[in-house]
Amino acid sequence: MAAGRRGKSQPRPVGRPRAVPRDLSCDVREEILTAAAGLFEAGGYTATSTRSIADQVGLRQASLFHYFARKQDILSELLDQTVRPTLEYVRRVALSDYDADVALWLLVHTDVANLCRGPHNLGALQLLPEARHTEFEWFWRRRRQLFRIYTRQIARGMAEELFLPADPLTTSEVVFGLVESVIMARPEFRKKSTTPPVLASAALRVCGVTPARIRRASTALPYLDAR
């Protein structure tokens, strides 16, 4: 090798430099979302600056905009994470292949597990006044889409005489409220592995499903592997 010649250079990392170097294997976008969720939850959306989010992740403020063009885009992604995984699950799994009580149990379990996952209470971001701005109307349409899925399963259960006869919309409101009650629950309750199955079974009790069929539906948990 000629004097002064270097070996083959290593490829430069893709992305924007960090103000504080960290492990380059980290998913910076996910780090930003996690940091922002914690800051929004603790101090509110308006009071949280993009600089404070960047500082939390160890990025320069200008580098943050390489991943998210606006602070609103961060909140949009976090809001979407409260409904998107459940909607994707419903698209992958044909709930109509199961009896209505099993289908509802799986739906509630999946939805509650999604709302309880992660270190921060993303569901609470729905309560932010800023989340009601017109630019987030797309999110509320997706949430209404999820509510209609609940209503269809509950109406089917009533038609199959597995659920007590009632107004499907009213029953859906009660069940949907039960699911979203985890948003206001204590962190200790949200982190329990038993919370999703407990609320899934409670939803069937709201619908008047017999204890025997609730026990049967709760054995459907292995089907969640299809997610």
Side-chain angles (χ1 to χ4, degrees), residues 108-123:
V108 172
H109 188 287
T110 301
D111 206 5
V112 172
N114 179 57
L115 289 172
C116 291
R117 72 182 176 89
H120 301 295
N121 186 0
L122 297 188

Side-chain angles (χ1 to χ4, degrees), residues 11 22 50 54 72 75 92 94 107 115 120 125 136 145 148-149 152-153 156 158 170 176 180 195 204 216 227:
R22 293 193 188 178
T50 53
Q72 294 94 317
L75 180 57
R92 288 195 301 269
L107 176 61
L115 289 172
H120 301 295
L125 299 180
F136 299 113
Q145 178 187 355
R148 288 194 295 271
I149 292 170
R152 284 198 297 271
Q153 297 307 320
R156 184 163 71 93
M158 291 177 182
T170 300
F176 205 61
E180 293 196 333
T195 296
L204 295 191
R216 171 182 173 275
R227 290 180 59 187

Side-chain angles (χ1 to χ4, degrees), residues 6-80:
R6 297 181 181 179
K8 186 177 180 180
S9 61
Q10 296 297 316
R12 297 180 65 184
V14 178
R16 295 294 187 266
R18 289 180 184 263
V20 179
R22 293 193 188 178
D23 183 356
L24 293 176
S25 66
C26 292
D27 186 331
V28 178
R29 194 171 186 275
E30 286 302 315
E31 282 193 61
I32 292 170
L33 290 170
T34 299
L39 291 169
F40 292 163
E41 186 179 358
Y45 174 78
T46 299
T48 299
S49 66
T50 53
R51 181 180 296 278
S52 64
I53 297 171
D55 288 345
Q56 187 87 1
V57 183
L59 286 173
R60 296 181 177 88
Q61 186 179 21
S63 299
L64 180 74
F65 299 120
H66 171 67
Y67 300 96
F68 294 95
R70 307 176 306 157
K71 186 171 72 167
Q72 294 94 317
D73 296 335
I74 300 175
L75 180 57
S76 289
E77 175 59 24
L78 292 172
L79 287 171
D80 200 30

Side-chain angles (χ1 to χ4, degrees), residues 104-220:
L104 184 60
W105 195 96
L106 289 170
L107 176 61
V108 172
H109 188 287
T110 301
D111 206 5
V112 172
N114 179 57
L115 289 172
C116 291
R117 72 182 176 89
H120 301 295
N121 186 0
L122 297 188
L125 299 180
Q126 298 180 19
L127 306 178
L128 292 172
E130 294 86 353
R132 291 290 178 178
H133 290 178
T134 54
E135 71 177 290
F136 299 113
E137 175 56 27
W138 63 268
F139 164 73
W140 297 103
R141 287 196 301 270
R142 282 171 66 77
R143 183 176 175 273
R144 288 193 293 271
Q145 178 187 355
L146 180 57
F147 176 79
R148 288 194 295 271
I149 292 170
Y150 275 87
T151 303
R152 284 198 297 271
Q153 297 307 320
I154 289 171
R156 184 163 71 93
M158 291 177 182
E160 294 173 359
E161 299 184 347
L162 295 174
F163 300 168
L164 289 175
D167 173 36
L169 280 175
T170 300
T171 303
S172 299
E173 290 282 4
V174 175
V175 170
F176 205 61
L178 177 65
V179 169
E180 293 196 333
S181 69
V182 297
I183 293 173
M184 302 301 293
R186 292 178 295 105
E188 296 80 6
F189 180 74
R190 294 179 62 256
K191 293 181 185 301
K192 286 183 177 179
S193 61
T194 55
T195 296
V198 164
L199 290 187
S201 296
L204 295 191
R205 285 194 291 274
V206 166
C207 294
V209 178
T210 65
R213 289 197 68 95
I214 291 175
R215 286 193 296 272
R216 171 182 173 275
S218 67
T219 64

